[in-house]
Amino acid sequence: MSSADRETILILDFGSQYGQLIARRVREQNVFCQIVRHDLPATRIKQLAPRGLILSGGPASVYEPNAPKCDPAIFELGIPVLGICYGMQLACQALGGEVRPSSRREYGRAVVRVHDSDGLFQDVPGETVVWMSHGDQVQEASEGFIALAETETCPVAAVRHAVRPVYGLQFHPEVSHTPQGTQVLRNFLYKVCGCRGDWKIGSFLEETIAQLRNKVGTDRVICGLSGGVDSSVVAALLVRAVGDQVSCIFVDNGLLRANEVDAVRRTFQGAFKADLHVVDARERFLKALDGVRDPQEKRRRIGHVFIDVFESEKQRISGVRYLAQGTLYPDVIESGGAQDGPAANIKLHHNVGGLPEKMGLQLIEPLRDLFKDEVRRLGLELGLPASLVNRHPFPGPGLAVRVLGPVNEKRLSVLRQADTILLEELKASGWYGRTSQAFAVLLPVQSVGVMGDGRTYEDVVAIRSVQTDDFMTADWSHLPYELLAKISTRIINEVSGVNRVVYDISSKPPATIEWE
């Protein structure tokens, strides 16, 4: 199936913190979706011919003068619409309803009582727990709307229009705190929009291989390998599509985990027989980082050196026309790279920004429509080892942003040893697969200790382990005390220069997952 024939749901983004989560929940139902800007004209939406529209939540109030609005003509297209929180209020207001501040705001869990079990609420219990996050609510829906559910303080917790295929939910079905939210979304996709569920990784793989072969032709492609999941899947995909026309460049920057170079060689030279170029640039990177403490300056310098090294290696490969990189859909959204996507540029492109233009190459981003979990499934389809596909995320700047303060070979070695011990113990205990991300951090402080009969004044290592579905929010992992004790004992006994290990029990927010 070509991308033109693929059934699609469009999510109009009004600034919701859960916008990407809505998209992931839709994809989990085997329905393709894209996040687009909230004011996308109805004429453009008609051209795109989606099976349905979802209006996201947002931080504004619909009655404010500058509140973001959608094109009201979208309600005349006959395309099913589901408004969530702000999106529901906007739809009701646009079709004659009244939205005002509530005398009792709802934040957190609430119990919804369902009046109509058809349509959106089919196979949903008559009373169910949902997650609310609103200060405004629909005080009066217009005569054209029918209330489908209520809570103790919100008489219009869900609605449908009597004539138009327009639905609204005051609660958030996309979050895990709404246990029946997946069923509600599935009902909208399949019962209201009539989706078939044709978004499968297997069909995506076949379609993408055909597109790559057609695009690349007889030219050569280079792919920057980092050893992480995304770049590894891109490399494997290209090898499957165009074989020996792809050259993979792996830059050893000296900021990698233990044995990373050997693992990449085993996978891509051994199993995939790829044309792999391993560049030893450790000295260049460490020289560029000498004396640098600021995390953003570390990133900037690492990026510059990487571009220089990559460009130099590219000169050794003849006939190159394309550069492939592992851009994912969240990166496209947050860097403002989608044609109809949200306009705000939240962050600079996280991959090799500026490299295609500098090298005069055309960019190939075969994963730009995928979320992380979809990339992992694709990697398994391609035959990548599960140990690589399911590994925890690793930051682009590597251990440089886990060595807090100045970066040098000695401090990197200390952190690398501590991190190896942590991962060994997590895997041996079965906890590696039960955590989303775990790593060690070398702190820029020393503490007093006693080892043997002597006083020590040595480094502190922090352990970080989190649980998360989407990495937008995360909770610290409740690892067993016995496991933490074993990790701490091994690090202090086996890593010279460390006399104290601490465990980070901060959630995101307010903390971030990485320390820098």
Side-chain angles (χ1 to χ4, degrees):
M1 176 182 297
S2 70
S3 56
D5 298 327
R6 183 189 298 151
E7 60 183 11
T8 301
I9 298 292
L10 297 182
I11 300 171
L12 277 63
D13 179 27
F14 292 91
S16 171
Q17 61 178 317
Y18 299 130
Q20 290 189 33
L21 190 53
I22 298 171
R24 286 193 59 202
R25 295 291 179 256
V26 172
R27 298 276 187 96
E28 288 169 1
Q29 299 299 321
N30 296 322
V31 177
F32 184 72
C33 67
Q34 290 180 307
I35 299 176
V36 299
R37 67 180 196 266
H38 65 271
D39 58 350
L40 196 66
T43 52
R44 175 60 177 155
I45 290 175
K46 188 175 181 179
Q47 289 174 348
L48 295 171
R51 299 299 291 266
L53 304 175
I54 296 178
L55 313 185
S56 82
S61 295
V62 297
Y63 48 77
E64 293 174 348
N66 297 319
K69 300 292 176 67
C70 60
D71 183 345
I74 67 172
F75 300 110
E76 308 296 331
L77 296 175
I79 299 172
V81 176
L82 174 64
I84 296 176
C85 197
Y86 181 92
M88 168 182 158
Q89 296 167 12
L90 188 64
C92 289
Q93 183 192 60
L95 295 174
E98 185 178 359
V99 179
R100 296 197 304 269
S102 172
S103 59
R104 292 180 62 184
R105 298 180 297 174
E106 282 185 308
Y107 293 98
R109 289 179 175 84
V111 176
V112 155
R113 291 182 291 276
V114 177
H115 303 320
D116 186 341
S117 59
D118 291 334
L120 282 188
F121 290 98
Q122 187 168 327
D123 299 323
V124 174
E127 287 195 356
T128 184
V129 174
V130 299
W131 185 261
M132 290 285 195
S133 181
H134 67 101
D136 301 328
Q137 64 184 34
V138 177
Q139 300 292 339
E140 287 185 22
S142 69
E143 292 183 359
F145 279 99
I146 300 169
L148 302 178
E150 66 176 349
T151 71
E152 183 179 349
T153 61
C154 183
V156 187
V159 294
R160 69 174 174 87
H161 198 273
V163 178
R164 306 168 194 260
V166 177
Y167 296 77
L169 300 171
Q170 185 57 69
F171 59 88
H172 289 273
E174 69 275 19
V175 301
S176 58
H177 303 302
T178 302
Q180 296 295 322
T182 298
Q183 183 62 48
V184 174
L185 284 173
R186 182 175 179 83
N187 287 339
F188 175 71
L189 298 172
Y190 284 88
K191 299 186 181 303
V192 177
C193 300
C195 292
R196 302 180 303 273
D198 61 12
W199 175 245
K200 304 284 199 313
I201 286 299
S203 57
F204 171 85
L205 176 59
E206 295 172 3
E207 174 188 326
T208 304
I209 286 174
Q211 290 174 347
L212 286 171
R213 287 173 178 165
N214 182 62
K215 182 179 182 68
V216 172
T218 59
D219 293 313
R220 291 194 65 78
V221 185
I222 55 174
C223 175
L225 260 179
S226 69
V229 177
D230 305 337
S231 66
S232 297
V233 171
V234 169
L237 182 58
L238 284 165
V239 170
R240 175 79 67 90
V242 296
D244 58 9
Q245 291 170 242
V246 59
S247 295
C248 300
I249 299 177
F250 181 81
V251 178
D252 181 0
N253 57 14
L255 307 171
L256 306 173
R257 284 176 168 170
N259 306 314
E260 192 85 345
V261 176
D262 291 339
V264 169
R265 279 200 172 102
R266 282 196 304 272
T267 299
F268 287 96
Q269 283 185 329
F272 285 87
K273 310 300 181 187
D275 178 31
L276 177 65
H277 299 242
V278 177
V279 184
D280 185 350
R282 290 174 291 181
E283 288 187 10
R284 290 187 62 177
F285 280 90
L286 288 179
K287 183 178 179 181
L289 291 169
D290 186 32
V292 178
R293 305 179 68 95
D294 179 72
Q296 288 302 93
E297 182 63 16
K298 289 179 183 178
R299 286 181 166 85
R300 190 188 68 80
R301 294 196 181 197
I302 290 169
H304 281 306
V305 176
F306 180 85
I307 289 174
D308 290 342
V309 171
F310 202 91
E311 184 176 22
S312 176
E313 187 64 25
K314 177 255 182 184
Q315 303 304 322
R316 304 172 187 270
I317 306 169
S318 60
V320 177
R321 185 179 178 187
Y322 297 99
L323 169 69
Q325 61 185 35
T327 307
L328 304 192
Y329 190 50
D331 307 318
V332 175
I333 296 168
E334 293 177 358
S335 60
Q339 177 186 350
D340 296 309
N345 191 332
I346 299 173
K347 66 180 181 180
L348 295 176
H349 203 291
H350 84 299
N351 288 317
V352 285
L355 194 54
E357 296 84 356
K358 185 178 178 69
M359 298 173 65
L361 299 177
Q362 293 185 38
L363 188 61
I364 293 177
E365 298 173 307
L367 308 183
R368 64 182 284 116
D369 282 338
L370 302 186
F371 284 99
K372 191 77 168 190
D373 52 335
E374 295 170 322
V375 172
R376 294 187 194 279
R377 294 203 300 273
L378 181 61
L380 294 174
E381 287 267 345
L382 286 163
L384 286 169
S387 59
L388 190 159
V389 170
N390 294 321
R391 72 185 312 191
H392 290 179
F394 188 66
L399 298 181
V401 292
R402 292 179 179 173
V403 171
L404 275 58
V407 179
N408 55 52
E409 187 54 57
K410 180 181 179 181
R411 301 192 77 217
L412 284 166
S413 178
V414 168
L415 177 60
R416 197 174 281 119
Q417 293 175 67
D419 194 66
T420 298
I421 291 170
L422 167 65
L423 298 182
E424 285 177 353
E425 292 300 332
L426 288 175
K427 291 173 182 177
S429 64
W431 271 91
Y432 184 85
R434 296 164 64 184
T435 58
S436 305
Q437 187 172 2
F439 54 91
V441 179
L442 182 61
L443 303 186
V445 296
Q446 286 74 45
S447 70
V448 174
V450 177
M451 303 181 94
D453 293 323
R455 176 185 183 276
T456 63
Y457 190 62
E458 296 182 321
D459 289 328
V460 180
V461 166
I463 300 299
R464 179 74 158 144
S465 180
V466 298
Q467 315 285 124
T468 178
D469 291 328
D470 48 39
F471 290 90
M472 292 185 290
T473 62
D475 193 15
W476 58 280
S477 304
H478 293 223
L479 299 178
Y481 292 155
E482 296 81 5
L483 176 57
L484 288 171
K486 188 173 184 181
I487 292 168
S488 175
T489 299
R490 279 198 60 192
I491 290 175
I492 292 172
N493 287 345
E494 298 177 31
V495 182
S496 177
V498 176
N499 68 359
R500 191 178 299 270
V501 174
V502 297
Y503 189 50
D504 183 348
I505 58 170
S506 309
S507 296
K508 176 189 178 182
T512 54
I513 295 176
E514 294 284 349
W515 279 49
E516 285 192 345

